[in-house]
Amino acid sequence: MKQPQTEKRVWEIIQKQAQKSGIVIYEYSNAGNHLHLLIRAKKREFYNRFIRSITGLIARAVRQTERGRPLGKKFWDSRPFSRIVEFAGGD
């Protein structure tokens, strides 16, 4: 996910889905094989919608495949790891 073209596409996916899902992104980092996001979701359903959409879209963008045409192997090793944090960020 660190190839320049892919990295740009991953960021575009995250931004677009955040806007559609009512998510505010405070921090973002692409580590190549995983992502770090500090986000704010006003409702759990917004978070669930966001994570579900970005995981599928990112996998398809990186593997350069389309929906309904799987490559036969898993892209993600495990489920998204998340934790609730409290910080003194903007609103």
Side-chain angles (χ1 to χ4, degrees):
M1 289 190 294
K2 281 297 259 186
Q3 301 295 330
Q5 192 71 8
T6 305
E7 188 171 14
K8 181 180 180 208
R9 180 69 184 125
V10 168
W11 176 236
E12 289 170 353
I13 289 168
I14 290 171
Q15 284 182 309
K16 183 176 180 182
Q17 295 306 311
Q19 186 177 18
K20 287 174 78 173
S21 301
I23 300 291
V24 177
I25 301 171
Y26 291 105
E27 293 182 21
Y28 164 80
S29 176
N30 182 339
N33 64 348
H34 65 278
L35 303 170
H36 292 269
L37 295 167
L38 179 60
I39 64 172
R40 179 173 173 214
K42 292 191 177 189
K43 294 184 179 182
R44 183 182 299 263
E45 68 186 76
F46 295 170
Y47 167 78
N48 290 339
R49 182 185 317 149
F50 174 70
I51 291 298
R52 191 170 36 249
S53 64
I54 68 167
T55 54
L57 291 170
I58 289 171
R60 290 198 325 247
V62 171
R63 290 283 175 100
Q64 297 178 345
T65 187
E66 295 181 25
R67 185 176 183 189
R69 301 189 66 206
L71 292 176
K73 40 186 171 169
K74 289 172 50 173
F75 180 76
W76 301 106
D77 290 333
S78 60
R79 299 180 74 187
F81 173 77
S82 63
R83 74 176 84 161
I84 297 172
V85 297
E86 186 175 333
F87 76 108
D91 196 21

